[in-house]
Amino acid sequence: MSQGLNMVVCIKQVPDSAQIRVHPVTNTIMRQGVPTIINPYDLHALEAAMALRDRLGGTVTVLTMGPPMAATALRKALGHGADRGILLSDRFFAGADTLATSYALTSAIQKIGESRPVDIVFTGKQTIDGDTAQVGPGIARRMGLNQLTYVSAIPTIDQEAGEITVHRRAEGGVQVLKTKLPCLITMLEATNVLRRGSLPDMLRAERAEVETWNAEAAGVEDIGKCGMKGSPTKVSKVFAPSPRAEKAKMVEGDTAEAKARVAIDALAETDPQLLSVIARQPALAS
Amino acid sequence: MAQAPNTPAAGRGKSKELPEHLKAYKNVWVFVELEHGRVHPVSWELLTEGRKLAAALNVDLAGVVLGPSGEGTDSAVAEAFHYGADRVYLVEDPLLENYRTDPFTKAMTDLVNTHKPEVLLLGASTLGRDLAGAVATTLATGLTADCTELAIDPNRNMAATRPTFGGSLLCTIMTQQARPQMATVRPRVMAMGEPDRSRSGEVVRERLDMVEEDIVTKVLDFIPDADSNQAQLAFADIVVAGGLGLQKPENIKLVKDLAAVLGAEYGCSRPLIQKGWMTADRQIGQTGKTIRPRLYIAAGISGAIQHRVGSEGADQILAINIDPNAPIFDFAHHGIVGDALEILPALTEAFRQRLAVDRLAG
Ligand SMILES: Cc1cc2nc3c(=O)[nH]c(=O)nc-3n(C[C@H](O)[C@H](O)[C@H](O)COP(=O)(O)OP(=O)(O)OC[C@H]3O[C@@H](n4cnc5c(N)ncnc54)[C@H](O)[C@@H]3O)c2cc1C
Ligand SMILES: Nc1ncnc2c1ncn2[C@@H]1O[C@H](COP(=O)(O)O)[C@@H](O)[C@H]1O
């Protein structure tokens, strides 16, 4: 009798970017009071893992690297039905870019795998604050996992044979890929809907002790590869996009018809070829 | 990239010397993304951009072509020269027929370790991002994703600028102590130059040291997208889009009518996708498509930064908004203050008449 799949889902707590404002005078980010959320893409990863658990049994461990307050994200995931939450938190991890982040997460996943090998690591497609889509491939490379990015569906999985097939979004179509476990899957958005937590799960989550690991507990071997120190990329400048030198020229006119005519004149004046370009558009042939 | 970008990190004050063993890294490389016998146009956009970086550094520009031998690969090599490459690094192998992470990562990292480029650019396509992440981790170097601007600083480092925090801000990222400096750029963000069919150059061939048995992942099938329209929006000359100012799903028709008269593609802002008024492939912006049309008409769109970064590459923008203070007027070239529900039909009619006159005259 197999014990089902041992799965780890990497989630990140991110600022709700819809609510970030730039100070109009100092041009700095106004972070105060910006609420944090679980990176939306990671919720698809969490649901995909739980759906596999429904099929084959097993455990879903959620893992996040961040400040102590990131424990909130783990509790939320536990409330939706994850089995175990691990917070990776240490001042040595601060200021990590994707290379250093994937290093720290890899150490923790290997630690998790010591008691029982991990079959699948899930990440979101990308984060909304970092937006790089690099951490997943980084973990796969470091751990030697088969890398499956932009996955939209997992039609078959055979734990005995250690095989999995997935649909992977590619340019202009979908690749159907077959590979061996263990693997790393980055889930595409809009592939599933996160289930609501059951009442017992929600109650359990509220009281749950989130395990917190520092670098040592996570078995990090080389602290120099973590955080700012282990990050080859450095942010040299953050700034708000500059406004265009001139604002839009406003079209004057008493009626909608008049405004429309004046607007076309203005467009044609700036770009004398515009109307002939329009006349040549292939879509007009029909 | 770093997650707490409010302290200007290294790069200020004393400039760090590049470690000795990295000084051998020279030249700018662009990955020429070849799949199903066709090159993704982002590759030509990047060669055009790479030309400028190579000029600033006074080094050569090279294309990297990975694929099976055959017509598609031959023409990718030839075209790489047309779009500005001085040299092409070519790995021809049947294992490079369909994209898979392992053989492509091996081919690329072996090339980099042998020929040592200082800059490596890839398209931020699903393929390019998959490959870039694997290559950068293997080489333990810095990778900046989704750049909107690339430049060379006085210390010969690449300054890669990208939107951050969901697009509300921009940040500039540097990789000062590792090589190559890697970056991905989304399709249509950089302009594509005119090809020069008379250009040619040196081809450097390398072998892929791998057999099929080494590769665990197999491609069972490829299901092409049914909606061939998918890519059109990004490449359309004329684009008309609507936002929440359209108020009702029925009013999408006003956008489509104008688009039909102009032979244009149509699109929308993100909330319309979330409401299900249009399909996701028509979203314009940071998390949708980047467009670079000759003319972009935006009706009832406020011009949030996430929308702006995907549309400001348009040559001309005409914005229609009922609010004279809407942010879209900060980056549009022409503005109509008015009700989109009236202006759109009026524009459709006025264009129809104008085009008829032009056709008679022509
Ligand atoms: C992480 C993230 C990513 C995002 N990515 C994208 C993206 O890729 N693309 C995108 O578009 N958005 C994106 N957004 C959303 C973006 O922030 C804005 O919320 C969105 O662009 C607003 O859409 P809108 O302009 O249609 O709606 P609104 O901001 O509500 O603006 C409606 C506009 O219509 C005008 N109006 C109202 N009635 C009329 C009328 N009768 N006639 C004319 N004008 C009228 C109003 O004055 C207003 O300016 C993203 C947000 C986040 C947080
Ligand atoms: N600090 C983190 N903790 C846990 N998971 C992370 C962290 N950063 C990134 N990830 C995972 O990696 C994915 C890609 O992140 P990114 O490369 O930043 O776009 C996310 O969707 C998460 O699943």
Side-chain angles (χ1 to χ4, degrees):
Chain A
M1 191 37 218
S2 93
Q3 307 166 286
L5 296 163
N6 192 13
M7 294 175 280
V8 175
V9 183
C10 299
I11 65 172
K12 187 180 182 195
Q13 191 176 47
V14 295
D16 187 350
S17 58
Q19 316 222 16
I20 290 177
R21 297 281 174 274
V22 181
H23 193 283
V25 179
T26 59
N27 231 9
T28 51
I29 312 165
M30 298 172 19
R31 288 159 174 270
Q32 297 92 320
V34 176
T36 54
I37 52 175
I38 297 181
N39 179 43
Y41 297 112
D42 301 351
L43 300 178
H44 299 296
L46 175 59
E47 176 56 37
M50 292 193 296
L52 284 184
R53 187 185 59 189
D54 292 345
R55 274 152 79 176
L56 293 179
T59 50
V60 175
T61 303
V62 278
L63 170 67
T64 191
M65 181 180 95
M69 74 169 191
T72 321
L74 294 173
R75 273 206 198 84
K76 184 137 191 292
L78 291 173
H80 282 282
D83 300 294
R84 181 185 179 195
I86 295 171
L87 169 65
L88 198 55
S89 197
D90 197 313
R91 65 190 171 85
F92 291 113
F93 297 146
D97 73 357
T98 52
L99 197 73
T101 300
S102 70
Y103 179 76
L105 290 173
T106 295
S107 302
I109 297 166
Q110 277 162 343
K111 191 86 194 170
I112 295 168
E114 276 177 9
S115 48
R116 220 194 111 199
V118 173
D119 299 298
I120 307 178
V121 177
F122 280 94
T123 72
K125 176 183 101 169
Q126 63 196 66
T127 51
I128 61 167
D129 62 342
D131 230 346
T132 73
Q134 281 159 209
V135 169
I139 295 170
R141 218 64 214 160
R142 291 183 184 285
M143 296 189 64
L145 305 173
N146 294 306
Q147 173 174 325
L148 303 166
T149 52
Y150 307 106
V151 169
S152 56
I154 306 173
T156 70
I157 176 160
D158 179 342
Q159 204 186 354
E160 298 299 302
E163 280 178 353
I164 183 168
T165 53
V166 301
H167 288 184
R168 170 176 184 270
R169 163 91 345 234
E171 298 300 313
V174 171
Q175 274 185 328
V176 183
L177 294 177
K178 177 174 176 169
T179 196
K180 291 233 185 302
L181 300 175
C183 65
L184 176 130
I185 293 178
T186 85
M187 272 320 272
L188 204 62
E189 69 271 27
T191 45
N192 54 33
V193 179
L194 179 63
R195 66 194 62 186
R196 300 173 67 145
S198 66
L199 198 57
D201 277 337
M202 309 241 268
L203 291 173
R204 178 177 61 100
E206 221 156 275
R207 288 190 303 264
E209 271 292 319
V210 164
E211 291 168 65
T212 304
W213 291 0
N214 61 12
E216 197 190 334
V220 168
E221 276 171 16
D222 185 351
I223 208 81
K225 289 188 177 164
C226 296
M228 189 88 100
K229 236 182 148 208
S231 301
T233 63
K234 300 274 185 283
V235 175
S236 68
K237 181 166 90 173
V238 179
F239 55 103
S242 55
R244 225 197 266 282
E246 287 172 56
K247 283 195 113 188
K249 281 205 257 359
M250 292 301 178
V251 167
E252 305 292 338
D254 293 335
T255 61
E257 288 68 30
K259 285 178 182 166
R261 278 196 303 274
V262 177
I264 295 172
D265 286 340
L267 294 172
E269 193 181 321
T270 325
D271 180 358
Q273 256 84 59
L274 182 67
L275 291 166
S276 53
V277 168
I278 292 175
R280 279 204 316 267
Q281 290 306 304
L284 281 181
S286 56
Chain B
M1 47 151 283
Q3 304 298 352
N6 39 12
T7 41
R12 294 280 165 85
K14 63 172 195 292
S15 78
K16 282 193 201 148
E17 269 277 291
L18 192 63
E20 206 55 41
H21 67 285
L22 296 178
K23 288 190 177 155
Y25 285 72
K26 264 209 173 57
N27 301 323
V28 174
W29 285 14
V30 169
F31 171 60
V32 176
E33 181 176 328
L34 175 69
E35 216 181 5
H36 310 295
R38 298 233 313 268
V39 173
H40 196 302
V42 71
S43 315
W44 308 144
E45 294 162 12
L46 288 180
L47 276 173
T48 306
E49 183 66 19
R51 193 69 260 168
K52 295 180 205 156
L53 300 181
L57 288 163
N58 199 16
V59 297
D60 287 346
L61 174 67
V64 175
V65 177
L66 313 177
S69 50
E71 216 177 295
T73 303
D74 293 345
S75 73
V77 171
E79 280 193 86
F81 294 127
H82 300 164
Y83 282 98
D86 301 306
R87 191 177 308 120
V88 166
Y89 293 97
L90 173 64
V91 182
E92 262 181 336
D93 195 295
L95 299 184
L96 301 169
E97 167 90 56
N98 288 309
Y99 177 75
R100 284 178 292 174
T101 311
D102 286 353
F104 275 71
T105 302
K106 171 118 176 67
M108 184 61 98
T109 48
D110 285 356
L111 279 178
V112 167
N113 286 329
T114 314
H115 297 283
K116 304 192 187 319
E118 59 191 310
V119 168
L120 172 57
L121 308 179
L122 302 92
S125 60
T126 54
L127 190 165
R129 282 178 165 220
D130 186 283
L131 178 62
V135 168
T137 310
T138 312
L139 297 170
T141 191
L143 164 59
T144 307
D146 287 3
C147 302
T148 51
E149 213 182 303
L150 300 171
I152 301 298
D153 86 344
N155 300 320
R156 293 179 65 87
N157 288 313
M158 181 167 72
T161 298
R162 69 186 304 275
T164 181
F165 288 111
S168 356
L169 293 168
L170 296 168
C171 65
T172 301
I173 295 178
M174 318 266 270
T175 300
Q176 289 167 321
Q177 301 285 301
R179 290 291 180 269
Q181 307 162 81
M182 291 180 60
T184 64
V185 179
R186 297 196 342 155
R188 306 299 280 157
V189 167
M190 303 292 180
M192 191 193 299
E194 285 297 319
D196 174 355
R197 309 266 170 222
S198 67
R199 274 184 61 99
S200 138
E202 178 198 5
V203 178
V204 179
R205 289 172 180 272
E206 295 287 353
R207 288 164 48 145
L208 177 69
D209 209 358
M210 223 177 193
V211 290
E212 181 60 45
E213 289 65 44
D214 298 334
I215 311 171
V216 178
T217 303
K218 310 289 174 197
V219 181
L220 300 186
D221 200 1
F222 183 80
I223 309 162
D225 291 329
D227 183 6
S228 57
N229 230 345
Q230 270 225 316
Q232 304 283 50
L233 182 59
F235 295 92
D237 278 331
I238 321 279
V239 175
V240 185
L244 275 183
L246 293 178
Q247 291 160 19
K248 287 199 217 111
E250 298 86 271
N251 293 330
I252 300 279
K253 182 168 184 304
L254 304 180
V255 168
K256 290 189 186 169
D257 287 347
L258 177 57
V261 164
L262 298 177
E265 278 295 336
Y266 62 90
C268 64
S269 62
R270 186 165 85 159
L272 272 57
I273 306 288
Q274 289 165 330
K275 285 174 177 285
W277 294 4
M278 270 196 216
T279 51
D281 54 312
R282 299 211 176 257
Q283 179 185 325
I284 296 167
Q286 164 83 5
T287 47
K289 297 246 158 68
T290 302
I291 57 170
R292 295 185 75 86
R294 191 151 180 159
L295 171 62
Y296 176 45
I297 302 180
I301 294 179
S302 60
I305 183 67
Q306 294 90 353
H307 189 81
R308 175 177 173 172
V309 294
S311 60
E312 68 182 342
D315 292 342
Q316 280 207 84
I317 301 174
L318 168 65
I320 304 160
N321 200 300
I322 209 154
D323 171 9
N325 296 316
I328 194 151
F329 292 130
D330 292 345
F331 64 96
H333 303 84
H334 302 280
I336 303 180
V337 177
D339 186 343
L341 309 186
E342 290 172 17
I343 304 285
L344 281 171
L347 267 177
T348 306
E349 190 47 38
F351 264 117
R352 199 198 307 278
Q353 287 173 9
R354 192 59 189 265
L355 289 163
V357 172
D358 264 39
R359 278 199 196 102
L360 278 181

